[in-house]
């Protein structure tokens, strides 16, 4: 029998791995426990994903052309989504996961991958092969499936990683509400996504209002240590957005964990981890869709070369290529999170720096096209000087955070 690959989780990462494996003629089975509910997600994606994975643009609800960044003191910076060499492709794509994931799964099935609606409940990986136990969602019974290799694409709680005996990763919680607004209010988000900074809405990440086809998704990220406060932070965000949400109707409340650290090892004997299961969300933006798809594709390509000898040593080529290509970018974004979201003064500096056209272009080049092209020296010098000035300004003349201002006004 030809070697078979088992993928646990058929969301963005798992389905992309399946599409890639089928493209290489490899027998593939996906196990997915949740085919009816959408993965909680803001759904912001770079246009690069649509080109690189040959995705139809009808999956895009809205093309966001502006970002509004609001600092803790209410300082607003509205920036156009434009790259160094502007094109029509300069935008942030907004998708709904209930539509997007379904499309990817169907594409994987159309290419011959099998999809089992079931929950993985046990996994044995030995030198002879992989044996998985799953509980079927259709008949409720427990079944067994054998494979040559398993790919864990099962998200931030990754049962696959658990069964492999790996520790849980530090996790943030992201919680969001989807709201239908009166048309007059929705117009404000026609082509604009909002980012809110401040301890009262997100102590170490950010909060957002992202437009979807006929509603908005508003949410917050809370890093490890703040996860218990997630609901309170979301309530603060709604207060802060205020009248713009008046008359809105909540159609869905959703929350899920995000990994906050990449795994040291992502490939083992007969096993690989991708996407959130491997901790591949980037820090500053909480962006994980593109990275789950990219890691699914790369893991599948490496696996195809070593299917006859899927040892850790061979499969770890996936890890080496990944960090060679993206290591600098992950490090840079980790430092940026620490620098920009570290405390409220830094959040003010961060908002101010977003007004700098060079910073805007570098940010959008790296987000939209996933390239980190170093800026010319003169530009780097100017940016450094602007950062120093913004640091000095915000530490000498401290802005009053909104909640303090609200308290003082209330007392008056
Ligand atoms: C509220 C929120 C907002 C976000 N916003 C954005 C955003 O705007 N842009 C962005 O790029 N990223 C965003 N992210 C991150 C993004 O959602 C994830 O990084 C991405 O979905 C990871 O994809 P994945 O395929 O690795 O895992 P997931 O999408 O988490 O999929 C894992 C799959 O495994 C399945 N599974 C789990 N356990 C089992 C089991 N035992 N048996 C069978 N199946 C199982 C699950 O049902 C799920 O379908 C957000 C995350 C959250 C929580």
């Amino acid at each position: 029998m030809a070697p078979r690959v088992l993928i646990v989780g058929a969301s963005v990462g798992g389905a992309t791995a399946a599409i890639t494996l089928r493209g290489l003629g490899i027998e593939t089975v996906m196990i997915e426990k949740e085919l009816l509910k959408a993965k909680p997600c803001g759904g912001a994606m770079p246009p690069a994903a649509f080109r690189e994975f040959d995705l139809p643009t009808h999956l895009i609800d809205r093309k966001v052309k502006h970002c509004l960044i609001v600092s803790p003191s209410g300082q607003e910076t509205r920036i156009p989504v434009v790259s160094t060499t502007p094109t029509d492709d300069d935008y942030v794509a907004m998708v709904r996961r209930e539509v997007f994931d379904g499309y990817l799964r169907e594409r994987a099935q159309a290419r011959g991958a099998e999809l089992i609606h079931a929950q993985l409940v046990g996994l044995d990986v030995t030198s002879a092969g992989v044996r998985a136990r799953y509980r079927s969602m259709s008949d409720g019974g427990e079944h067994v499936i054998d494979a040559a290799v398993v790919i864990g694409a099962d998200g931030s709680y990754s049962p696959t990683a658990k069964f492999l005996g790996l520790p849980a990763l530090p996790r943030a919680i992201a919680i969001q509400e989807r709201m239908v607004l009166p048309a007059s209010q929705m117009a404000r988000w026609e082509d604009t996504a909002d980012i809110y900074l401040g301890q009262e809405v997100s102590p170490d990440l950010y909060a957002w209002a992202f437009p979807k086809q006929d509603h908005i998704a508003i949410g917050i990220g809370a890093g490890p240590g703040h996860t218990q406060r997630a609901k309170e932070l979301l309530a603060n965000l709604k207060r802060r957005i205020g009248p713009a949400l008046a008359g809105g109707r909540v159609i869905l409340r959703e929350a899920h964990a995000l990994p906050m650290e990449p795994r040291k090892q992502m490939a083992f004997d007969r096993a690989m981890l991708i996407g959130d299961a491997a901790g591949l969300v980037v820090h500053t933006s909480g962006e994980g869709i593109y990275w789950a798809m990219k890691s699914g594709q790369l893991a599948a390509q490496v696996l195809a070369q070593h299917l006859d000898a899927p040892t850790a040593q061979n499969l770890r080529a996936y890890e080496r290529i990944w960090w060679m290509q993206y290591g600098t970018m992950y490090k840079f974004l980790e430092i940026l999170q620490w620098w920009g979201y570290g405390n409220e003064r830094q959040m003010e500096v961060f908002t101010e720096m977003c007004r700098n056209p060079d910073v805007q272009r570098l940010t959008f080049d790296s987000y939209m096209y996933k390239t980190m092209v170093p800026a010319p020296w003169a530009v780097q010098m100017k940016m450094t000087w602007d950062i120093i000035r913004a640091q000095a300004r915000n530490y000498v003349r401290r802005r009053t955070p909104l909640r303090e201002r609200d308290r003082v006004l209330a007392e008056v």
Side-chain angles (χ1 to χ4, degrees), residues 11-13 32-33 39 41-44 97 120 154 174 276 288-289:
S11 167
V12 284
E32 170 57 60
K33 72 177 164 77
K39 164 78 205 296
C41 187
R97 292 291 296 269
L120 179 83
D154 40 6
D276 281 17
I289 302 173

Side-chain angles (χ1 to χ4, degrees), residues 1-6 21-22 24-29 146-149 270 303-304 306-310:
M1 196 178 94
R4 168 161 63 186
V5 175
L6 173 68
L21 287 169
R22 286 304 302 145
L24 297 165
I26 295 166
E27 193 183 336
T28 307
V29 180
D146 293 325
V149 176
R270 295 187 180 275
L303 174 55
H306 299 289
L307 205 49
D308 52 343

